[in-house]
Amino acid sequence: MSHSPESPRPRWRRRLRGIAVVGLILLICGIAGLPWLVGTPMVRRAIIAQVNVMYAPTVIELEGLSVSWSEPVRLTGVVLRDGNGKAVVSSPTATLNRSLWQLVTMQPDFGTLTLHGASVDIERRADGSIDLAEALGPILAGGDDEDDTPDDDQGPPTRFTLAIDDGTLLLTSPELAEPVTAERLDMTLNCLPAPLNWEIALSNPDARTLEVTGHYDARNPEAAEAVVSIAGSRWPLAVEQAGVVAEGIFGGEVGVRMLGEDLHLTGDAILTQLAVGGPTLKGDQPEFDRIEAAWDLDLATAGVAIRQLDLTAPVATVGLAPDGPDGASKWVGRVDLAALAKQLPNTLALRDGLTLEQGAVDVVAILEPAREDGASPAEVTARIAGLSAREGARVVAMEEPITLSARLLQGTGTTVAVETVAVASRFLNAEGQGDLDEGVTFGGSIDLNALDAQLRQWVDLGEVMLGGSGRFGGDYRRDEAGSSFTARLAVEGQALQVAGLTEEPIVRDAARLDLIVQGSAAPPGVPSGWNRVHVAAKTEGIDAVVDVSPIEEALAVRGRLAMAEEVAVEGGAPVGNSPSLAFDAVYRASDDRLDLAELLVEHAMGTVRASGRIDAVSSARVASLTGAFEPDWDAISLQVAEATEPKARLVGTPRPFRLNGPLSVGSTKEILSGIDAELGVDLTEAAIFGLQVGPAPLVVRCDRGEILIDPIATTLNGGQLVVTPAVELGEDGSAILTIAEGSGIDKVEITDEVSRQVLAYIAPVLREATQVNGRLSVRVNQLRVPLAGPSPEEGGAEVELASRVAFEEVTYGPGPMMQRILGLSGLAAQDVPNLTINQVVDVAISEGRVHQSGLEIVAAEGVALQFEGSVGLDQTLAVRVGVPLSERMLGGQQVLNDVLGGTRVGVPIGGTLGQPKLDQEAFRIGLRQQGGRLIGRGAAAGAGQLLRMLGDEEDRGGQDQQGPANPPPVAPPAEDLLRDVGRGLLRDVIGGGAGRRDDQP
């Protein structure tokens, strides 16, 4: 069979047709399978991820997605989270009333998304932000066009509606004492196009319902409109504000319309079962069965319009009076103070036993019709009068009423012109006048003595007392354009006395306070905001200035506090070198945090520079500060020198410091219990009382209630100083510096200056010693030095010391005091050119005195002087020296050694370190007392020999005699004393009292 050349063509055509048919079938299958593809987990996650990128920080979660060309889109596990990750809306299922085909063909109308059984959790924060609004914001903003009005270029506007069906609501807000909850929530929110419209219906069991409708249109920023209408039936409310909690049942309607700066308020509401409490009311819990109110007000830049204002409550009423002047409306209000006092006895703090029986606050406002010039006059009078109370059989009445009166003009050009305003009372008189064009001025006077007397009749002021007088004045002005304002207030006080608010009464001969407030104003000049508050206060010794300005949702706070060079302290001498403080900070109310860019404290002793932050400013005040203390070493040295000795000097370098922890009010111990801090300096040189201290870091740490001081190890006058200090804190606010046992000094070189300034408190004879050499070591068993707290007179702690002091070959030349003591021992100064102390003594400090025991100074063979007693920190002496009796005292008769050996006579030393006084009469008596003890020693023969010698002297009338060969001289004036006493002593010892006179002891 033969074939023509054209025969293959039909075969290829058939193949092409087959491929086309297959492609068409695949296209149809692809289109049909697109909904299935969109619903797969991989594609769903990709879509959600892209959506979250578009609407960040808002996050949308979706567990399941079902899409059809002909059926509505169905979703499961829908969650809307705000930028903090909180789930504000959670819905198990949701339906979008658009099929895939409708979404493709009907854009930009995206229909209505209905969330079924959604849980809505809304929080309004303290700064006014709302988490749901923040979560929806990026979504709504993402769909906005510059102009929602359709035109040839833009096409029709985007449309989208969000609905909730059979959901639940939880709403929390700072002003709500309890969250608002609804077991059923139905909502329709027309999101796009603008304006935003909503209808919200809440319901709970027992037919308790609340409906909220309204709209918000911000397309014209200069005249943005917001309308809210609230209708409730038996809806429970619980609000909290300024420490007052109010709970009640709301019913009625409330309407709010805001257009630009103008506000229109309407309402007809009933509040039942109202119960009020909270800490501000001090335990009072007033209850009101029913309060009715109706109002229709305009609060606009052009003025205030009152069409209706009615209030009926158990303690107050407001309403339109029928007896108003022709053409004018008269509004009257009354607060029944007697009824209010019964509800709030603790809050009003009436004196115990005082019952308020009568009294009211009456307010009358007469609004006249507009005059030809367009101004509408208004007269307002408020009066507190008729107060009468009973205290047992005694009646207490207010002598003079308190009255406020004002005549105002409301018209064009200015919102309100104050023709006159006056306050008249027994203790306060003030008046003002003006308008916004010319400025408003006011002034007056206050008598605090009269105010104290007036208040004290009615309320319990406790320990609070007021005294003095003052005057004040101020003004309010706007700029020519009416876009800003300045308000000023100045207050001056004289002979001010305020007691009971602080531990010590506040007494000031004069004081002044200046306040300036500046800000923006809405036409024609009414304040609409503020941008600066300036406060300045000045009184004796104190000058303070503070400036506050708002910046980026925070407050910039700058100020300074300076004190005069000398500030008088009650009961004491003036305090000089007072500090000054300056700060530059930012306060963020949303976080209750103060960020300190700089804190500068300047004092004559040095400067503190710090920065950081303080959290929880209104409560715990948790600080986190770092900085440095920069001492003025010259000033510190001068201060130490004035308090100690002229040559005192301190030199060092600063170290950084840190402070972390709460600064809440309480005792010192309570404050320090949470503080972690470190403060110190590096001491490079220190000299005081002839003691040279080597370099040493001085570091103080506070660790959660404990004050720790780093151990100090350095050199001291060629020796070693090792001290382990600590600080003990008492419940009474006391602080005591302690030195650990074992602290002390080793082999410190002694000089004349150290001897005179320090060692004289242990051994007073070293006060004026010369050529002092040797070393000293000290071991401390106990040392306690009070740093703060009650004084010893008030039962506080005193300085306490228990230590052992080792004198190591300390040699010195005797000074005047020691020479006199040596003279009593029968030694002359030239016989004892140098003395040596080489022993250990116990030294203690108590009751303000330095006590020592065990000090013995050997002046010569057989002459060992024993010292005991104390030296006051005020340098007063209470010392007793035991002087041994020897033949040296009585002419060098060696035969007396057996009689006198080991016998001592105590010599009291009084006066001060600078002017010591040896009690010679006590020494004379001591010698006579020793006579009786010497009789039993059987030494009459030897004593008789000396008595004859002394008798011969007496017969010669005290003229010069040869006496024994080279008798040792006795230092005057002790020589004559010893002769006289010796004669009497020996006569008593030998012969049973021969030669004794009746007048001798």
Short mmCIF file of all heavy atoms in Angstrom, two decimals, residues 717-752:
data_model
loop_
_atom_site.label_atom_id
_atom_site.label_comp_id
_atom_site.label_asym_id
_atom_site.label_seq_id
_atom_site.Cartn_x
_atom_site.Cartn_y
_atom_site.Cartn_z
N ASN A 717 54.65 55.94 112.04
CA ASN A 717 55.90 56.38 112.70
C ASN A 717 56.95 55.27 112.73
O ASN A 717 57.52 54.96 113.78
CB ASN A 717 55.60 56.86 114.12
CG ASN A 717 55.15 58.30 114.15
OD1 ASN A 717 54.55 58.78 113.20
ND2 ASN A 717 55.42 58.99 115.24
N GLY A 718 57.19 54.67 111.59
CA GLY A 718 58.20 53.64 111.52
C GLY A 718 57.75 52.29 112.02
O GLY A 718 58.49 51.30 111.92
N GLY A 719 56.54 52.21 112.55
CA GLY A 719 56.00 50.94 113.01
C GLY A 719 54.88 50.47 112.10
O GLY A 719 54.71 50.94 110.97
N GLN A 720 54.11 49.52 112.60
CA GLN A 720 53.03 48.94 111.82
C GLN A 720 51.69 49.23 112.48
O GLN A 720 51.56 49.17 113.70
CB GLN A 720 53.21 47.42 111.68
CG GLN A 720 54.44 47.02 110.89
CD GLN A 720 54.36 47.46 109.44
OE1 GLN A 720 53.32 47.33 108.80
NE2 GLN A 720 55.47 47.97 108.91
N LEU A 721 50.70 49.53 111.64
CA LEU A 721 49.33 49.75 112.09
C LEU A 721 48.44 48.72 111.41
O LEU A 721 48.40 48.66 110.18
CB LEU A 721 48.86 51.17 111.75
CG LEU A 721 47.35 51.45 111.89
CD1 LEU A 721 46.93 51.37 113.35
CD2 LEU A 721 47.00 52.82 111.32
N VAL A 722 47.72 47.93 112.18
CA VAL A 722 46.78 46.94 111.64
C VAL A 722 45.47 47.08 112.40
O VAL A 722 45.44 46.89 113.63
CB VAL A 722 47.32 45.50 111.77
CG1 VAL A 722 46.29 44.50 111.27
CG2 VAL A 722 48.63 45.35 111.02
N VAL A 723 44.42 47.44 111.68
CA VAL A 723 43.12 47.68 112.30
C VAL A 723 42.04 46.97 111.49
O VAL A 723 42.04 47.04 110.25
CB VAL A 723 42.80 49.20 112.38
CG1 VAL A 723 41.42 49.43 112.95
CG2 VAL A 723 43.83 49.91 113.22
N THR A 724 41.14 46.29 112.19
CA THR A 724 39.98 45.66 111.54
C THR A 724 38.72 46.31 112.10
O THR A 724 38.19 45.91 113.14
CB THR A 724 39.96 44.14 111.80
OG1 THR A 724 41.20 43.58 111.36
CG2 THR A 724 38.81 43.49 111.05
N PRO A 725 38.21 47.35 111.43
CA PRO A 725 37.04 48.07 111.95
C PRO A 725 35.73 47.48 111.43
O PRO A 725 35.70 46.73 110.45
CB PRO A 725 37.25 49.49 111.41
CG PRO A 725 38.03 49.30 110.13
CD PRO A 725 38.81 48.01 110.26
N ALA A 726 34.64 47.85 112.09
CA ALA A 726 33.29 47.48 111.68
C ALA A 726 32.34 48.50 112.28
O ALA A 726 32.72 49.32 113.12
CB ALA A 726 32.94 46.06 112.12
N VAL A 727 31.08 48.45 111.85
CA VAL A 727 30.06 49.36 112.35
C VAL A 727 28.85 48.55 112.78
O VAL A 727 28.34 47.73 112.01
CB VAL A 727 29.65 50.41 111.29
CG1 VAL A 727 28.51 51.29 111.81
CG2 VAL A 727 30.84 51.28 110.91
N GLU A 728 28.38 48.79 114.01
CA GLU A 728 27.17 48.15 114.51
C GLU A 728 26.02 49.15 114.43
O GLU A 728 26.16 50.31 114.80
CB GLU A 728 27.36 47.72 115.96
CG GLU A 728 28.38 46.62 116.16
CD GLU A 728 28.52 46.24 117.62
OE1 GLU A 728 27.82 46.84 118.47
OE2 GLU A 728 29.31 45.33 117.93
N LEU A 729 24.87 48.67 113.94
CA LEU A 729 23.67 49.51 113.82
C LEU A 729 22.65 49.08 114.85
O LEU A 729 22.37 47.89 115.01
CB LEU A 729 23.08 49.39 112.41
CG LEU A 729 24.00 49.82 111.26
CD1 LEU A 729 23.33 49.55 109.93
CD2 LEU A 729 24.36 51.29 111.38
N GLY A 730 22.06 50.05 115.54
CA GLY A 730 21.06 49.77 116.56
C GLY A 730 19.66 50.08 116.08
O GLY A 730 19.46 50.81 115.11
N GLU A 731 18.67 49.52 116.75
CA GLU A 731 17.28 49.76 116.39
C GLU A 731 16.89 51.22 116.61
O GLU A 731 15.93 51.70 116.02
CB GLU A 731 16.36 48.84 117.21
CG GLU A 731 16.57 47.36 116.97
CD GLU A 731 16.19 46.96 115.54
OE1 GLU A 731 15.44 47.72 114.89
OE2 GLU A 731 16.62 45.89 115.10
N ASP A 732 17.60 51.93 117.50
CA ASP A 732 17.30 53.32 117.79
C ASP A 732 17.97 54.28 116.83
O ASP A 732 17.98 55.49 117.06
CB ASP A 732 17.71 53.66 119.22
CG ASP A 732 19.20 53.41 119.48
OD1 ASP A 732 19.87 52.87 118.57
OD2 ASP A 732 19.67 53.76 120.57
N GLY A 733 18.55 53.76 115.74
CA GLY A 733 19.22 54.60 114.77
C GLY A 733 20.67 54.88 115.10
O GLY A 733 21.32 55.67 114.40
N SER A 734 21.19 54.25 116.13
CA SER A 734 22.58 54.49 116.50
C SER A 734 23.52 53.72 115.59
O SER A 734 23.17 52.69 115.02
CB SER A 734 22.81 54.07 117.95
OG SER A 734 22.56 52.68 118.11
N ALA A 735 24.74 54.23 115.47
CA ALA A 735 25.80 53.57 114.71
C ALA A 735 27.07 53.66 115.55
O ALA A 735 27.45 54.75 116.00
CB ALA A 735 26.00 54.24 113.36
N ILE A 736 27.70 52.52 115.78
CA ILE A 736 28.87 52.46 116.64
C ILE A 736 30.02 51.83 115.88
O ILE A 736 29.89 50.73 115.32
CB ILE A 736 28.58 51.64 117.92
CG1 ILE A 736 27.45 52.30 118.72
CG2 ILE A 736 29.83 51.51 118.77
CD1 ILE A 736 27.04 51.51 119.95
N LEU A 737 31.15 52.54 115.83
CA LEU A 737 32.37 52.02 115.21
C LEU A 737 33.06 51.10 116.21
O LEU A 737 33.30 51.47 117.36
CB LEU A 737 33.29 53.16 114.82
CG LEU A 737 34.68 52.77 114.30
CD1 LEU A 737 34.57 52.06 112.96
CD2 LEU A 737 35.58 53.99 114.20
N THR A 738 33.37 49.89 115.78
CA THR A 738 34.07 48.94 116.62
C THR A 738 35.38 48.53 115.97
O THR A 738 35.49 48.52 114.74
CB THR A 738 33.21 47.68 116.88
OG1 THR A 738 33.03 46.96 115.65
CG2 THR A 738 31.86 48.06 117.44
N ILE A 739 36.36 48.19 116.81
CA ILE A 739 37.65 47.69 116.35
C ILE A 739 37.80 46.27 116.86
O ILE A 739 37.66 46.01 118.06
CB ILE A 739 38.81 48.57 116.84
CG1 ILE A 739 38.62 50.01 116.35
CG2 ILE A 739 40.14 48.02 116.36
CD1 ILE A 739 38.62 50.17 114.85
N ALA A 740 38.09 45.35 115.96
CA ALA A 740 38.15 43.94 116.34
C ALA A 740 39.32 43.68 117.28
O ALA A 740 40.36 44.36 117.23
CB ALA A 740 38.28 43.07 115.09
N GLU A 741 39.13 42.70 118.17
CA GLU A 741 40.18 42.32 119.10
C GLU A 741 41.43 41.88 118.34
O GLU A 741 41.35 41.17 117.34
CB GLU A 741 39.68 41.18 119.99
CG GLU A 741 40.65 40.75 121.06
CD GLU A 741 40.09 39.68 121.97
OE1 GLU A 741 38.91 39.31 121.75
OE2 GLU A 741 40.80 39.22 122.86
N GLY A 742 42.57 42.32 118.82
CA GLY A 742 43.82 42.00 118.15
C GLY A 742 44.34 43.12 117.29
O GLY A 742 45.50 43.11 116.87
N SER A 743 43.49 44.10 116.98
CA SER A 743 43.95 45.26 116.23
C SER A 743 44.93 46.06 117.08
O SER A 743 44.89 46.00 118.32
CB SER A 743 42.78 46.15 115.82
OG SER A 743 41.88 45.46 115.00
N GLY A 744 45.81 46.79 116.45
CA GLY A 744 46.72 47.60 117.23
C GLY A 744 47.89 48.10 116.42
O GLY A 744 47.87 48.11 115.18
N ILE A 745 48.94 48.54 117.15
CA ILE A 745 50.15 49.09 116.52
C ILE A 745 51.36 48.38 117.13
O ILE A 745 51.32 47.92 118.28
CB ILE A 745 50.25 50.61 116.71
CG1 ILE A 745 50.25 50.97 118.20
CG2 ILE A 745 49.12 51.32 116.00
CD1 ILE A 745 50.41 52.45 118.49
N ASP A 746 52.41 48.30 116.34
CA ASP A 746 53.64 47.64 116.79
C ASP A 746 54.84 48.53 116.55
O ASP A 746 55.05 49.03 115.44
CB ASP A 746 53.84 46.31 116.05
CG ASP A 746 52.87 45.24 116.52
OD1 ASP A 746 52.76 45.03 117.74
OD2 ASP A 746 52.21 44.64 115.65
N LYS A 747 55.62 48.74 117.66
CA LYS A 747 56.91 49.42 117.59
C LYS A 747 56.84 50.77 116.88
O LYS A 747 57.60 51.09 115.98
CB LYS A 747 57.94 48.52 116.91
CG LYS A 747 58.15 47.19 117.64
CD LYS A 747 59.25 46.38 117.02
CE LYS A 747 59.44 45.06 117.77
NZ LYS A 747 59.69 45.23 119.24
N VAL A 748 55.90 51.57 117.34
CA VAL A 748 55.74 52.93 116.82
C VAL A 748 56.72 53.85 117.54
O VAL A 748 56.82 53.84 118.78
CB VAL A 748 54.29 53.43 117.02
CG1 VAL A 748 54.18 54.89 116.63
CG2 VAL A 748 53.35 52.57 116.21
N GLU A 749 57.48 54.63 116.79
CA GLU A 749 58.45 55.54 117.38
C GLU A 749 57.75 56.68 118.11
O GLU A 749 56.79 57.26 117.60
CB GLU A 749 59.37 56.11 116.30
CG GLU A 749 60.27 55.07 115.65
CD GLU A 749 61.19 55.68 114.61
OE1 GLU A 749 61.11 56.91 114.41
OE2 GLU A 749 61.97 54.93 113.99
N ILE A 750 58.27 56.99 119.32
CA ILE A 750 57.68 58.02 120.15
C ILE A 750 58.50 59.30 120.03
O ILE A 750 59.74 59.27 120.06
CB ILE A 750 57.62 57.57 121.62
CG1 ILE A 750 56.84 56.26 121.75
CG2 ILE A 750 56.99 58.65 122.49
CD1 ILE A 750 55.45 56.34 121.21
N THR A 751 57.81 60.43 119.90
CA THR A 751 58.45 61.74 119.83
C THR A 751 57.87 62.63 120.92
O THR A 751 56.91 62.27 121.61
CB THR A 751 58.22 62.39 118.46
OG1 THR A 751 56.80 62.63 118.31
CG2 THR A 751 58.69 61.50 117.33
N ASP A 752 58.50 63.81 121.08
CA ASP A 752 57.98 64.76 122.07
C ASP A 752 56.52 65.09 121.79
O ASP A 752 55.70 65.20 122.71
CB ASP A 752 58.81 66.04 122.06
CG ASP A 752 60.19 65.84 122.66
OD1 ASP A 752 60.47 64.71 123.11
OD2 ASP A 752 60.99 66.80 122.67
#
